[in-house]
Amino acid sequence: MISQVFILSSKGDHLIYKDFRGGAGNDIVSIFYEKVTALTGDQPPVVMNHKDIYFVHIRQGGLYWVATTTAGSSPFTITEFLNRLAALVKDYCGSLSEKSVQMNFALIYELLDEIVDYGYIQTTSSDVLKNFIQTEAVTSRPFSLFDLSNVGLFGAETQQSKVAPSSAATRPIQSSREQGGKSEIFVDVIERMTVVIGSNGLLMKADVEGEIRVKCYMPSCSEMRIGLNEEFSIGKSQLRGYGAAVRVDECSFHQAVRLDEFDSHRILRLCPSQGEQTVMQYQLSDDLPSALPFRLFPTIERDNGGSAAINVCATIPVPKGSVSLSQELSSPDQSAELKPQSRAVVWKIARFAGGTQLSALFKLEVPSLSSASMLEVGPVGLSFELPKITATGLQIRFLRLSPIQPGPSQRWVRYVTHSDSYTIRI
């Protein structure tokens, strides 16, 4: 049973507040923010308590999504509820951000009225809610398929470009009623890499967590069939096909996915609801079929002026007390900055072409430099995004809909690999 639900910005601003039971005081929001900001570390606990009130929260879109409850309620149920609430807000508002929540507060309150009744969860299904939600979403700029000034990664054959704008998959699901009957489905294959490379250059850890997401703007679709690689296998003992094996260690599916053709033909069947849903999740550990996207060859030297790092495309922790930075970059489209508060040098590269190398020389002025100060350098952390690439080699062979949709329908597939944690020790 849920007592309150509220959404806060990263600065603690009250964006949404709904009291279903009336059992807590008006200062409950301030109490939560004081507790969560007083904790050390980047990941505060999901569940915290104040007297006999329990706070369950998640962070998505840079916002705090919080529900309060009393003893006896399942924290796992409330956590899942908050994740589904955030997904619903993203579906109905188009994106998750402080601005979108502020612009669509009336729509979000209407959603809360429908999905929770006196603290009891009723439904989080977009198929059920679409019959009751009447408030239209407010967007910062109208969506136009022909506005190609801001292009994304979704592939499409057009006269002007082979990609659709990045805003195409971030518009509200209600806007599909306003697009002249246009039907679209977006399929994202997203992978996140966690890598640790030792100071000797040897790979110590390489994990990939991936998922296939479907976002549907079709008013009705009885069945969708997604074909994966025929050589796709789960576990080391289950190798199949004659081509290069695409293997994962573990794999899980959405409850709506039917797997009667998966074992024989690697086909996923489902009836997609309007909005976004994760169809499949998978994981691969320490056995990547492809080479790592980045290698780093650091060198540290000590002289009267400080230390130097070479060939770094990363955030580099530096000794405490560093006061100035001089730099030599190998190309003009790069930038580097010393951030004293976080004690790090941040080197940013807008676009890094494949098969190329970039280098940089950083010189730091560190008063009272000692041998202990040299140990404060590193490890190096990389963050990146690789469009059109999957580390596991997973591919979508086909995407078929039945029955045939009336009028034109468009299907988009993209592949993206993100860095989840890419660490290189010095």
Side-chain angles (χ1 to χ4, degrees), residues 68-312:
T68 65
T69 185
T70 56
S73 299
S74 169
F76 299 103
T77 300
I78 298 179
T79 303
E80 179 64 19
F81 163 76
L82 291 174
N83 280 296
R84 295 193 182 188
L85 174 62
L88 283 172
V89 172
K90 183 178 180 181
D91 287 340
Y92 277 87
C93 298
S95 63
L96 282 184
S97 66
E98 181 177 350
K99 183 178 180 181
S100 65
V101 171
Q102 289 175 333
M103 296 174 63
N104 293 280
F105 68 93
L107 173 58
I108 296 174
Y109 277 117
E110 187 176 0
L111 281 171
L112 287 172
D113 288 336
E114 296 295 340
I115 64 180
V116 180
D117 184 16
Y118 197 59
Y120 294 96
I121 303 171
Q122 303 299 305
T123 182
T124 56
S125 169
S126 58
D127 286 338
V128 175
L129 291 171
K130 68 181 180 181
N131 298 319
F132 303 101
I133 302 301
Q134 302 298 323
T135 304
E136 295 289 341
V138 179
T139 55
S140 57
R141 61 184 294 271
F143 167 77
S144 174
L145 182 62
F146 300 101
D147 180 12
L148 299 177
S149 60
N150 181 22
V151 297
L153 305 175
F154 299 99
E157 291 287 344
T158 65
Q159 294 180 351
Q160 295 176 319
S161 174
K162 292 186 178 181
V163 295
S166 59
S167 59
T170 57
R171 69 179 191 269
I173 58 175
Q174 291 172 306
S175 65
S176 60
R177 299 196 296 254
E178 305 169 359
Q179 301 296 323
K182 181 189 301 182
S183 298
E184 290 183 310
I185 278 189
F186 296 86
V187 178
D188 288 353
V189 181
I190 301 174
E191 296 187 347
R192 295 178 174 83
M193 302 184 68
T194 300
V195 176
V196 176
I197 300 176
S199 58
N200 56 1
L202 296 179
L203 180 64
M204 302 178 64
K205 178 181 180 180
D207 296 342
V208 175
E209 292 184 356
E211 59 186 20
I212 299 177
R213 294 181 189 170
V214 173
K215 189 157 189 177
C216 178
Y217 289 99
M218 293 187 174
S220 61
C221 178
S222 61
E223 184 180 77
M224 178 175 67
R225 301 170 79 240
I226 301 176
L228 306 182
N229 309 59
E230 292 182 342
E231 302 83 9
F232 180 76
S233 60
I234 304 172
K236 294 183 179 180
S237 60
Q238 190 190 72
L239 297 179
R240 49 183 289 132
Y242 299 97
V246 178
R247 188 187 67 81
V248 298
D249 293 331
E250 299 177 359
C251 187
S252 61
F253 303 92
H254 190 276
Q255 60 186 6
V257 176
R258 295 191 292 274
L259 301 175
D260 49 323
E261 294 185 65
F262 181 75
D263 289 338
S264 57
H265 302 293
R266 290 306 191 239
I267 296 176
L268 307 178
R269 299 173 55 202
L270 72 155
C271 300
S273 304
Q274 278 193 311
E276 184 177 274
Q277 55 187 309
T278 299
V279 174
M280 170 178 153
Q281 294 177 307
Y282 55 93
Q283 182 177 353
L284 176 64
S285 299
D286 296 328
D287 190 16
L288 300 185
S290 58
L292 294 177
F294 291 97
R295 285 281 184 178
L296 189 69
F297 306 95
T299 301
I300 300 177
E301 299 177 354
R302 177 176 177 176
D303 57 22
N304 295 331
S307 61
I310 298 175
N311 290 340
V312 177

Side-chain angles (χ1 to χ4, degrees), residues 8 10 59-65 86 95-98:
L8 305 180
S10 58
R59 286 206 69 179
Q60 289 196 25
L63 306 174
Y64 292 100
W65 304 72
S95 63
L96 282 184
S97 66
E98 181 177 350

